[in-house]
Amino acid sequence: MAAAVESVVVVHNVAKRHNVGTLARSATAFGVAEVVVVGRRDDERGCDICGVEITEDAKPVTAHPFRRSTAFLFGNEGTGLSQKECDICDFFVYIPQYGGGTASLNVTVAASIVLHHFGVWVGFPERGREGNKFIVADRPQGHSRGLYCTDSIEAVIEEQKMRKENACDILEENGGSHPQESNGLDLMFTD
């Protein structure tokens, strides 16, 4: 039996902290299996990496160019994906625009649109509704393992401190002293 098709969101170098939270909420709404905030590279998951970027060879997301489980890579709000980030992508999608008012969409808006199209392509079942709201599960199940935290707040704070210390150690080893001075993917994909 074939493995279930799923989507993963990779968040990297998003400048506005509240956008990460909004991305996580969109991911929950659209059945994303996992949200990865880049700073470490997890194991290969047997999936395509889709860059959400306006490139010459990008396909419109409305064409649903997906083939299997997909990790979506969203770039910085101002600069988009770096060349190194583009180099790791298997393919690209863009969101067609029909008006002339903006050069690009906010990263959280773009993520919501792309994830919705992926969910339509996969055929995720629609959540039940009660009144004018969707029914929320007591605990996310099935394809949302990366969005539910069972640790105490103290354990989460301790883990965040350890991650920050590890990130600082990596930056110091690579000649940087402040997180703003380095790009996490630059450290992971150095030549």
Side-chain angles (χ1 to χ4, degrees):
M1 183 173 175
V5 176
E6 59 184 22
S7 63
V8 175
V9 170
V10 180
V11 180
H12 172 255
N13 201 23
V14 172
K16 297 177 182 170
R17 189 174 298 205
H18 70 272
N19 282 342
V20 176
T22 304
L23 280 166
R25 284 188 293 285
S26 294
T28 301
F30 297 116
V32 171
E34 188 172 4
V35 174
V36 178
V37 179
V38 173
R40 68 175 206 258
R41 184 167 171 93
D42 287 349
D43 60 322
E44 293 296 325
R45 302 178 55 83
C47 64
D48 288 332
I49 298 175
C50 174
V52 180
E53 187 67 80
I54 303 168
T55 64
E56 196 168 307
D57 61 340
K59 304 277 190 276
V61 72
T62 53
H64 298 166
F66 315 110
R67 299 179 300 247
R68 59 186 184 148
S69 294
T70 304
F72 294 96
L73 184 57
F74 299 93
N76 177 276
E77 295 93 330
T79 59
L81 296 175
S82 71
Q83 186 57 52
K84 287 184 180 184
E85 291 165 331
C86 288
D87 290 345
I88 68 166
C89 294
D90 296 306
F91 68 103
F92 297 90
V93 296
Y94 72 93
I95 300 164
Q97 292 190 26
Y98 307 101
T102 186
S104 65
L105 297 173
N106 173 279
V107 65
T108 63
V109 173
S112 294
I113 293 168
V114 170
L115 296 174
H116 178 264
H117 276 280
F118 185 82
V120 168
W121 174 78
V122 169
F124 287 149
E126 183 178 320
R127 296 285 301 175
R129 292 176 283 172
E130 190 173 288
N132 61 354
K133 301 283 184 178
F134 287 96
I135 298 170
V136 177
D138 292 333
R139 176 180 176 186
Q141 299 172 354
H143 46 79
S144 48
R145 67 181 175 273
L147 300 175
Y148 186 76
C149 179
T150 58
D151 294 335
S152 68
I153 188 66
E154 292 82 12
V156 171
I157 290 169
E158 187 61 32
E159 182 179 346
Q160 288 174 337
K161 284 181 186 176
M162 288 177 25
R163 285 184 180 174
K164 186 175 181 179
E165 289 171 7
N166 289 340
C168 289
D169 291 345
I170 291 170
L171 288 172
E172 287 174 10
E173 290 171 12
N174 288 285
S177 59
H178 300 289
Q180 307 88 289
E181 293 178 3
S182 182
N183 171 331
L185 283 181
D186 286 345
L187 298 176
M188 292 169 27
F189 299 104
T190 55
D191 295 329

